[in-house]
Amino acid sequence: MQRTLSILTVVACATLPLGSSMFEQRLVPTMLLGLAFAVLAIAGFRFVEGRDRAFAVVYAGIQLALGFALFWVSGAAVGSVLLLVVLVAQSVLLLPLPAAVVVAAVIPLVHLGMDWVAGLREGLGTLAVTIFTVVVTELFVREQRARAALAAVNELLRGYAAQAEQLAVTQERNRVARDFHDGLGHHLTVVQMLLQAARAQIHTAGVERLDGMLAKAQDQSKQALAEVRRSVATLREPRPAPLVDALRTLAGEVSDAGVPTELKVRGAARPVRAEVEESLFRAAQEGLTNVRKHADATAVTVALDFGHVDLVRLEVRDDGRGLLEKPLPDSGFGLVGLRERIAGLGGRVSVDSAAGQGVTLTVEVPG
């Protein structure tokens, strides 16, 4: 915009000889005033722009006085009117819009000294030009502001997009970590317990019994490998068996590993969302894995409760030694991952324990 106004100023100065019958008699003062106005319009405008509002007011006042003087000295030259139009555009850029409108309304008064008919005609024409200039320049200013605001919003959106991408990566990384811990950790724990039992009985148990333990350990290893492939591929394959059947199979695996586990289903089993089913199964895996690792339990009960209309509750209760730490520990990948998984579904996780009275893991999920 500055460059455009500078070009218009130079063009207006070049047209000072046009439309004036007195130009030849007043050549020197006209050109000096025109040069002073042009220098201020180019250099002075750049100096004032961006500074305190008082500088803009002083600049507009000086240019108005110079413009009026130039108009009368030049004999109402067309170029003098064009320079005043440039001042109107600059006023819109420097001053509040009401102040710029005042400048646009004052400029037509330059024709007051003329014959009233000619003055009225010329004044109205000049007023139309100055108002048009105000409108066009204001539209330009608003368009520039809109572009700047849009650029700022786009930059903000790019930042949000980067944050969202990072969050998505973090969430997926956490999901894969939870799946490794809950799925792979469960199967490897069963394999470990089966191998321990086989080694403990290698000299006393028959070949068939040892072979059965090793076969189960091999089957668990295959399932662990399947879990690894599933997590690495970041797939959410639907569980082939319903939740109740999957929990019954899980309870059987734990019983085979040496900890008798019973599954109880309360209420009529009903279909639930796939993510709810997956999370409840993983919660049961986590609870049973912790029982086998830490509880020294002789019996475990897994209870799946459909008794509430809009809620599904899962409990894993053992008769082991319980948790000795108070408050209950809230660290470890298993419990942290389980809380994250259930919180993402709008549910809650609680762990109740007393020394020598076992541990009860309770998971409630909207279903």
Side-chain angles (χ1 to χ4, degrees):
M1 189 64 176
Q2 289 182 358
R3 181 179 300 177
T4 301
L5 292 177
S6 297
I7 294 174
L8 290 176
T9 300
V10 173
V11 171
C13 284
T15 60
L16 281 175
L18 301 179
S20 173
S21 59
M22 304 172 62
F23 180 77
E24 294 181 358
Q25 293 84 358
R26 300 178 180 178
L27 173 62
V28 175
T30 297
M31 295 307 300
L32 288 176
L33 285 174
L35 180 62
F37 191 102
V39 170
L40 282 177
I42 297 174
F45 175 74
R46 293 180 179 178
F47 174 81
V48 170
E49 191 176 30
R51 295 181 180 270
D52 189 78
R53 188 66 53 78
F55 286 91
V57 173
V58 172
Y59 169 82
I62 293 175
Q63 288 293 78
L64 268 177
L66 280 176
F68 273 60
L70 178 61
F71 180 85
W72 286 106
V73 169
S74 66
V78 174
S80 63
V81 177
L82 292 178
L83 289 174
L84 288 171
V85 170
V86 170
L87 175 60
V88 172
Q90 292 180 339
S91 298
V92 176
L93 298 175
L94 296 175
L95 301 172
L97 184 59
V101 172
V102 170
V103 173
V106 168
I107 286 177
L109 299 180
V110 74
H111 299 286
L112 285 179
M114 301 173 63
D115 176 73
W116 74 271
V117 176
L120 180 62
R121 182 179 65 252
E122 296 295 332
L124 290 176
T126 303
L127 179 62
V129 172
T130 56
I131 294 300
F132 177 78
T133 304
V134 168
V135 172
V136 172
T137 308
E138 178 64 17
L139 289 176
F140 171 81
V141 170
R142 293 187 180 185
E143 188 266 345
Q144 290 294 99
R145 291 172 181 169
R147 284 191 179 185
L150 182 60
V153 171
N154 286 336
E155 185 65 27
L156 190 62
L157 288 177
R158 281 193 289 269
Y160 285 155
Q163 292 178 9
E165 181 180 1
Q166 183 61 38
L167 179 60
V169 171
T170 302
Q171 289 177 337
E172 185 62 13
R173 185 184 296 124
N174 291 339
R175 184 194 71 79
V176 173
R178 287 195 299 267
D179 283 355
F180 267 115
H181 181 276
D182 297 344
L184 184 61
H186 163 76
H187 294 299
L188 292 181
T189 300
V190 174
V191 170
Q192 181 187 25
M193 296 187 67
L194 287 170
L195 292 178
Q196 286 178 345
R199 290 188 62 189
Q201 302 178 37
I202 192 170
H203 298 295
T204 58
V207 176
E208 292 184 0
R209 181 173 177 80
L210 290 176
D211 183 68
M213 291 181 179
L214 293 176
K216 291 177 181 178
Q218 184 180 18
D219 180 66
Q220 289 292 320
S221 298
K222 290 180 180 179
Q223 293 187 44
L225 181 59
E227 287 283 353
V228 171
R229 288 172 176 169
R230 179 185 176 194
S231 296
V232 170
T234 63
L235 297 176
R236 283 289 191 184
E237 299 174 356
R239 188 164 298 283
L243 178 60
V244 174
D245 294 341
L247 291 178
R248 186 173 289 112
T249 300
L250 184 62
E253 294 172 357
V254 178
S255 297
D256 292 339
V259 183
T261 303
E262 178 186 8
L263 173 65
K264 294 182 179 180
V265 180
R266 300 166 185 162
R270 63 177 183 271
V272 295
R273 291 175 294 159
E275 59 269 26
V276 172
E277 188 173 282
E278 177 75 13
S279 296
L280 291 174
F281 179 82
R282 294 300 188 183
Q285 270 190 331
E286 173 63 20
L288 292 174
T289 298
N290 287 335
V291 169
R292 292 193 301 271
K293 284 182 177 179
H294 311 297
D296 291 334
T298 59
V300 184
T301 300
V302 179
L304 186 61
D305 189 353
F306 292 97
H308 298 272
V309 177
D310 56 352
L311 192 72
V312 181
R313 177 185 289 114
L314 175 77
E315 291 183 359
V316 179
R317 182 184 300 109
D318 68 74
D319 63 352
R321 59 187 177 183
L323 296 176
L324 303 179
E325 299 181 28
K326 297 291 182 178
L328 299 180
D330 194 22
S331 60
F333 294 117
L335 188 55
V336 170
L338 179 59
R339 291 189 188 278
E340 290 177 352
R341 186 189 295 272
I342 300 303
L345 298 174
R348 69 181 188 91
V349 177
S350 62
V351 181
D352 300 309
S353 176
Q357 298 181 21
V359 176
T360 299
L361 170 68
T362 304
V363 177
E364 294 180 341
V365 184

